[in-house]
Amino acid sequence: PATGGMRSHLELLAPRLSDHGFSSQLIAPADFGWTHGGSTPHVSVPIASASHPMADLKTARHAALAARGADLLHGHGLRGGWIACLAARCLAVPFIVTAHNLGPAISGALSRIALRWMLRRANAVICVSKAVKADIRRLGARDVSANVVPNGIDLASWLFVPESAEPRAPPLIVACGRLAHEKGFDVAIRALAALRAQGSSARMIIAGDGPNCDSLRDLAAALHLGDAVTLPGRTDDVGGLFQDATLVVVPSLSEGQGLVAIEAMACGRAVIASRVGGLVETVVEGETGLLVEPNDATQLAYAIAGLLEDAPARARMGAAGRTRVERLYSVDRMVEQTALIYRQALSAGG
């Protein structure tokens, strides 16, 4: 299954490739959730989340049949890249792979050999951050060169709203993402409990769905937070949440880039994020937000308290965040860089 960041990336990239002379189609599982791809067709192929040699060969043949007539295949994620590599060899066309997330700890010589084999045969490797690029090399592909092309966002969809001269009372802290262990939302809840114990009236909204929803609600209840924590589930108006927020927290334990941080910065909100993965590149310490050690509720609470008491700093960081997103994380920049890599791959051939 695709991560939210990967799906958002494809939904922004695919329709805009036509502006650069490329037509595209998506080959993905039926449950991919392709709802905003414009005119880009979706061909369903059963790509399992776990690798199995014979099943992968069968899936690659399905993908090759679906991609007949294509000049280039572009796999997203290491699983997608593996299938695209096998299918591209069937079709004798170039292929590209984009690594969106930090990779798992790959055990076993065979898995490392397969990863290196795939990456070395790619006409181009794209990573969404320098951290992901370094991680690809950690996984056994030290001699593979890679292009860093950050995920971009459609700036028109994320309205910059400067902080009001009369800030919200009580303060509202917003977090957003898949409710899974690696996102660290339990750390955010513990940090809020520490703030409330010190007399703060701050509230927190954690938007999203996922396997940890019930356990997060149980944690909030166990810490006697009552209605100070709200978990509304998935929302279609994330921008509205950010615009209502006093500040945004991204307490991830692992993060390839940090799309939520980029979206919050685009809305003009200061971001407090974990010092992990691509978040270190996305959030500039002291300029667009603050960085704290992962899985440290005390440090996170301290950082939140400091920014809640410093409205001028929040406003300055919010404005700097929007400027940084406009400069580095626009969808136009992402599409232009990707199209250039496509042209280079096609010139080099399969």
Side-chain angles (χ1 to χ4, degrees):
T3 62
M6 186 189 300
R7 187 182 298 107
S8 297
H9 172 94
L10 289 168
E11 289 177 345
L12 288 172
L13 174 66
R16 289 171 172 79
L17 286 171
S18 60
D19 296 337
H20 296 267
F22 296 96
S23 61
S24 60
Q25 75 172 16
L26 175 74
I27 298 173
D31 61 355
F32 183 80
W34 189 243
T35 56
H36 303 291
S39 59
T40 305
H42 172 197
V43 179
S44 296
V45 170
I47 302 174
S49 58
S51 180
H52 185 279
M54 295 308 297
D56 286 351
L57 288 172
K58 183 177 180 180
T59 297
R61 286 197 294 269
H62 280 297
L65 286 172
R68 282 181 300 182
D71 299 300
L72 174 74
L73 298 187
H74 186 173
H76 288 264
L78 298 183
R79 282 287 295 143
W82 173 248
I83 298 301
C85 176
L86 297 176
R89 290 180 71 79
C90 293
L91 297 170
V93 300
F95 95 95
I96 291 170
V97 58
T98 291
H100 289 266
N101 298 297
L102 299 178
I106 293 182
S107 60
L110 186 60
S111 295
R112 288 185 178 274
I113 289 170
L115 176 67
R116 288 197 299 268
W117 187 87
M118 180 267 287
L119 291 170
R120 288 171 179 171
R121 280 156 181 78
N123 292 73
V125 178
I126 299 174
C127 298
V128 299
S129 68
K130 294 176 184 177
V132 170
K133 179 177 178 177
D135 204 55
I136 287 294
R137 292 177 173 172
R138 174 187 68 81
L139 293 174
R142 294 181 181 85
D143 56 345
V144 173
S145 61
N147 307 271
V148 175
V149 180
N151 282 323
I153 64 171
D154 182 0
L155 290 165
S157 299
W158 302 91
L159 182 64
F160 173 66
V161 178
E163 184 162 345
S164 171
E166 297 182 1
R168 169 190 286 270
L172 177 62
I173 302 159
V174 169
C176 182
R178 185 168 182 267
L179 305 185
H181 171 72
E182 67 272 11
K183 296 301 182 181
F185 293 129
D186 60 314
V187 182
I189 291 174
R190 294 181 190 280
L192 181 67
L195 288 170
R196 301 276 296 191
Q198 296 299 316
S200 173
S201 62
R203 296 172 52 249
M204 181 177 288
I205 294 177
I206 303 176
D209 56 19
N212 283 17
C213 184
D214 289 341
S215 64
L216 291 172
R217 286 199 172 98
D218 290 344
L219 175 62
L223 294 173
H224 308 291
L225 289 172
D227 60 2
V229 174
T230 305
L231 286 90
R234 187 172 180 176
T235 176
D236 292 328
D237 188 19
V238 176
L241 272 181
F242 291 156
Q243 291 153 16
D244 287 342
T246 308
L247 57 85
V248 174
V249 295
V250 186
S252 302
L253 307 182
S254 174
E255 198 70 67
Q257 181 188 18
L259 194 58
V260 167
I262 293 171
E263 293 165 348
M265 287 159 55
C267 292
R269 291 299 167 264
V271 175
I272 301 177
S274 299
R275 191 178 281 107
V276 296
L279 284 170
V280 178
E281 303 162 47
T282 302
V283 179
V284 181
E285 170 75 27
E287 180 180 324
T288 67
L290 300 175
L291 294 170
V292 299
E293 292 305 309
N295 205 23
D296 190 330
T298 300
Q299 191 177 141
L300 178 58
Y302 183 81
I304 292 172
L307 274 187
L308 289 181
E309 295 172 0
D310 195 344
R314 294 199 308 271
R316 172 177 53 80
M317 290 175 176
R322 175 69 184 201
T323 299
R324 182 170 176 80
V325 173
E326 290 174 346
R327 181 167 57 89
L328 297 177
Y329 301 115
S330 72
V331 66
D332 291 338
R333 187 174 190 269
M334 177 186 77
V335 176
E336 287 170 6
Q337 291 179 313
T338 303
L340 175 61
I341 293 169
Y342 282 6
R343 286 191 286 271
Q344 293 170 342
L346 288 167
S347 296

